[in-house]
Amino acid sequence: MALQIGIVGLPNVGKSTLFSAITKKQVDCANYPFCTIDPNVGVVEVPDDRLAVLSKMSGSQKIIPTVIEFVDIAGLVKGAAEGQGLGNKFLANIRETDAIAQVVRAFDDSNILHVDGSVNPVRDAETINTELALADLDVLTKRASNIEKQMKSGKTKELEAEFAIVQKAIASLNNNAMLRDVEWSDEELAVIRLTQPLTLKPMLYVVNVSESQLADGSWKERVSGLKGRIVPVCVKMEADLSTMSEADKNEYLEMAGQTQSGLNKLITEAYDALGLSTFLTTGEVETRAWTTPRGSTAPQAAGKIHTDFEKNFIRAEITPYKDYVECGGEVGCREKGKTRIEGKDYIMQDGDVCYFRIGG
């Protein structure tokens, strides 16, 4: 199952237009709040230039990139945690995602109404983050109350430990700290994740800028108060790019002084925010990118190909991508000693070109 990034933000900041450009899937993005009711989901390829290179070397019949899903979630407003607008429904939609891409608007356009009457991306982000924090506080406070009731029937070390962790989370939120910014032990994280907190999810700020702001960098002044991963995207430009041929797209980007699409930057950054890594397999049938959490062992990575591969793992033949290309492929790597034999304890590195030996 592909990992999901939820696109959130206030109404009319460009979420649905961004989603449409990302997925080349047209959605209703009329110029008024709450036009997006049910979340639209689109599967997006993670850009990886290495695949085409390996495919050419191997004479592969097809290329299969790794993917993530973007979910277009309707605009939140102040009071969403108390059910204002369509708050409760969409907070539930966000809870189901793995990370959040929060769109904030930095461009001026009198023809596009702003729900708060003026353009202020830092204020908008604070509004959204407050709603997410309030929603978490509601869930955590109810959980703390339930634990207290259970402890009246008889305290246990487990209940006391959980209560302390929940109280730590509540105190952090009351001190305006997002749970993702709090230090947690592995044991604490395991407990707190049971409540599916929104503010624990990785957060990306997608700054919707004008073409001129993208070129001169003036958008940075407007988001100087934001902390976290920030990706500037001219959503209007990306919408135009999504309808162009590859040649026209490259020409447009060159004229705009950009080396790559803002959407490619966003997709790559989202992939990284999720703590993911890519290993590669290549041959005549296919060249393929596989997703695995950073820090995965070789057997765990093999299990991404087939669950039996992890159980029956014998060894992995690993070649770093750079060496694979410089040596001209598998044969050259073996001749020059660049292919290593690794066992069950090997920690996978991004770009490893792999062949797994599996037992019967």
Side-chain angles (χ1 to χ4, degrees):
M1 181 179 175
L3 291 156
Q4 288 193 336
I5 311 288
I7 302 175
V8 305
L10 294 175
N12 294 348
V13 295
K15 300 181 313 305
S16 295
T17 306
L18 173 68
F19 177 83
S20 181
I22 287 175
T23 61
K24 298 183 177 60
K25 177 181 176 182
Q26 187 60 44
V27 294
D28 186 7
C29 50
N31 183 23
Y32 56 89
F34 312 127
C35 68
T36 310
I37 304 301
D38 296 315
N40 297 285
V41 180
V43 179
V44 184
E45 295 180 1
V46 177
D48 195 333
D49 294 336
R50 298 172 298 192
L51 294 172
V53 176
L54 291 178
S55 177
K56 187 174 181 180
M57 294 176 70
S58 301
S60 303
Q61 296 175 30
K62 58 183 176 180
I63 293 175
I64 304 177
T66 190
V67 298
I68 55 177
E69 289 181 355
F70 279 88
V71 184
D72 179 29
I73 296 168
L76 290 171
V77 292
K78 194 176 293 184
E82 285 78 44
Q84 293 297 313
L86 297 166
N88 291 332
K89 178 177 173 57
F90 300 129
L91 288 168
N93 293 146
I94 300 168
R95 209 175 293 283
E96 293 170 5
T97 65
D98 300 289
I100 301 169
Q102 183 179 160
V103 183
V104 292
R105 174 179 163 185
F107 70 90
D108 293 304
D109 188 335
S110 59
N111 294 317
I112 301 178
L113 303 174
H114 189 288
V115 71
D116 286 331
S118 63
V119 174
N120 185 331
V122 175
R123 177 202 61 206
D124 294 353
E126 287 174 354
T127 297
I128 295 295
N129 291 339
T130 297
E131 293 308 319
L132 300 181
L134 288 171
D136 281 352
L137 274 171
D138 182 53
V139 172
L140 288 163
T141 302
K142 287 175 181 174
R143 180 59 194 149
S145 177
N146 287 336
I147 296 171
E148 283 186 304
K149 289 176 183 176
Q150 288 177 272
M151 287 196 294
K152 286 178 181 177
S153 302
K155 288 186 178 180
T156 66
K157 287 184 178 179
E158 290 79 7
L159 283 174
E160 289 179 335
E162 183 182 358
F163 186 72
I165 294 165
V166 171
Q167 288 293 92
K168 176 181 174 179
I170 291 171
S172 299
L173 290 166
N174 281 326
N175 286 322
N176 298 318
M178 299 293 102
L179 297 184
R180 75 180 72 86
D181 299 324
V182 178
E183 287 190 20
W184 303 98
S185 68
D186 290 343
E187 291 78 13
E188 287 175 326
L189 270 178
V191 169
I192 212 68
R193 279 179 175 148
L194 294 173
T195 62
Q196 294 182 295
L198 301 169
T199 63
L200 189 65
K201 296 179 186 293
M203 172 77 79
L204 288 161
Y205 291 105
V206 184
V207 185
N208 189 2
V209 302
S210 66
E211 199 165 326
S212 62
Q213 286 176 318
L214 188 63
D216 63 23
S218 60
W219 59 271
K220 294 177 184 177
E221 297 174 15
R222 285 193 158 177
V223 296
S224 59
L226 285 183
K227 294 179 181 179
R229 293 172 181 260
I230 297 174
V231 185
V233 178
C234 178
V235 173
K236 184 177 182 298
M237 179 194 293
E238 300 298 333
D240 292 339
L241 286 170
S242 69
T243 64
M244 294 181 184
S245 67
E246 202 62 33
D248 288 344
K249 188 184 298 184
N250 291 334
E251 185 179 345
Y252 189 174
L253 286 171
E254 188 176 341
M255 287 174 60
Q258 303 299 311
T259 56
Q260 63 172 319
S261 159
L263 296 184
N264 279 2
K265 294 177 191 174
L266 169 58
I267 294 164
T268 303
E269 194 74 19
Y271 188 79
D272 187 59
L274 286 167
L276 303 176
S277 182
T278 300
F279 69 91
L280 309 162
T281 56
T282 188
E284 290 184 4
V285 176
E286 67 180 31
T287 291
R288 184 164 184 164
W290 302 86
T291 296
T292 188
R294 280 197 293 266
S296 294
T297 62
Q300 288 170 335
K304 298 296 180 182
I305 298 176
H306 194 287
T307 51
D308 288 346
F309 284 15
E310 181 174 1
K311 183 173 62 177
N312 299 318
F313 177 89
I314 296 175
R315 64 178 185 270
E317 297 174 12
I318 304 287
T319 311
Y321 170 78
K322 184 179 177 183
D323 291 339
Y324 197 93
V325 174
E326 287 179 353
C327 295
E330 181 181 355
V331 174
C333 288
R334 293 185 186 282
E335 290 175 352
K336 296 178 182 179
K338 297 293 185 179
T339 297
R340 309 186 311 270
I341 304 299
E342 299 287 358
K344 293 182 178 180
D345 296 330
Y346 175 70
I347 302 299
M348 299 293 293
Q349 302 299 308
D350 188 78
D352 279 347
V353 182
C354 309
Y355 184 83
F356 296 108
R357 297 288 180 180
I358 308 300

